[in-house]
Amino acid sequence: MKRVGTILFQGLVALLPAILTLYILFWLVSSAETVLGGMLKLLLPSGWYIPGMGLLAGLVVTFLFGLALNAFLVRRLLDLGERLADHIPLVKTLYGSLKDFIGFFAKQRDSQFNQVVTMDLEFGGKPMRMIGFVTRSDFSSLPAGIGEEGEIAVYLPLSYQIGGYTVIVPRSSVKPVNMSTHRAMGFVVTGGMTTDKGLK
C-alpha cells in the first residue's frame, strides 16, 4: 500500500500543474465567452451569434487596447487613472504591487531585468547562498542616498508567496548565474523543488 500511495502521489505531482494550467485557461476562455459573448448577443441581431465570438472579441479588444497604448490621449487617461488609484489605500497597495510584479517579467528583454545572481550570506555562523534578481543598476533618478555608484538593487524573493526583500549591495558581492529569470523564480518559489536547469 505504501508503494501504491507513493505512485499515486507522484502521479498527482506530475498532473497537478497541467490540470491547474488547463483550468486557468478554461476559466479565462469561458469568462471571455460569458461576458463578451453576452454583450454580443444583445448587440447582434437574433441568430447572428456564433459560439466562440466572445473569445474572438476578447482577443480583438486586447489587441486594440495594446495599439491604443501608443496614443497620447489614451496614455494620459491611464496616467490619470493610476493617479486616482494612488489615493485609494487598498487599491493603491494591490494595484501597485501587481503592476510592479508583472512589470518585472514584462521587462525581461532589458538586460538589467534578465540577470539572475547569487549572494553569499551568513546565518548562525554558517554560510548560505540566496538567489536574487538584479532590478536596478542606475540610481540617478532616485533620491540621494538610496544607491551609490557601483551598487545594484537585488530582489530576493521568498518561497511559496509573492513577497521578498530588495537590498542595495555592491555589484562585487553577487555572482551571475547562467539561468533564465522565470526558471530561477520557479526554483525559488517552489523551495528548490524544480529540476529544470533552465539555462539561457
Side-chain angles (χ1 to χ4, degrees):
M1 289 299 295
K2 184 177 180 180
R3 176 63 177 170
V4 173
T6 301
I7 294 175
L8 287 174
F9 179 74
Q10 290 174 342
L12 180 62
V13 170
L15 285 175
L16 195 57
I19 292 173
L20 290 176
T21 301
L22 291 175
Y23 176 78
I24 292 172
L25 290 175
F26 174 78
W27 177 80
L28 290 173
V29 170
S30 61
S31 297
E33 186 66 23
T34 301
V35 177
L36 296 176
M39 294 174 62
L40 288 175
K41 287 179 181 179
L42 295 175
L43 297 174
L44 294 175
S46 179
W48 283 36
Y49 178 79
I50 301 174
M53 293 179 71
L55 176 61
L56 181 61
L59 294 175
V60 171
V61 168
T62 303
F63 178 76
L64 292 177
F65 187 76
L67 288 178
L69 287 177
N70 296 316
F72 175 77
L73 180 60
V74 174
R75 295 192 71 86
R76 293 286 293 179
L77 290 174
L78 287 176
D79 290 341
L80 176 62
E82 289 188 357
R83 285 198 295 270
L84 290 175
D86 285 341
H87 290 83
I88 306 175
L90 181 60
V91 174
K92 175 183 178 180
T93 302
L94 291 175
Y95 177 76
S97 300
L98 289 173
K99 181 183 177 183
D100 292 341
F101 186 75
I102 295 173
F104 177 84
F105 295 98
K107 296 178 181 178
Q108 282 187 21
R109 292 184 181 180
D110 188 341
S111 59
Q112 70 172 346
F113 287 96
N114 202 28
Q115 186 176 3
V116 182
V117 296
T118 59
M119 188 165 62
D120 293 329
L121 302 173
E122 187 173 301
F123 183 75
K126 302 293 183 180
M128 68 177 185
R129 186 175 298 113
M130 294 191 71
I131 295 178
F133 304 86
V134 178
T135 58
R136 180 180 289 270
S137 57
D138 182 12
F139 300 91
S140 59
S141 61
L142 298 175
I146 293 182
E148 306 295 339
E149 185 71 25
E151 293 183 329
I152 57 175
V154 180
Y155 173 61
L156 303 172
L158 299 175
S159 299
Y160 293 103
Q161 58 182 307
I162 298 177
Y165 301 96
T166 300
V167 296
I168 311 298
V169 296
R171 182 174 287 276
S172 59
S173 65
V174 302
K175 298 177 182 178
V177 177
N178 185 26
M179 191 177 191
S180 65
T181 303
H182 70 280
R183 292 297 184 188
M185 180 63 79
F187 179 83
V188 176
V189 170
T190 61
M193 291 194 298
T194 57
T195 56
D196 192 338
K197 292 183 179 179
L199 297 179
K200 289 185 182 178

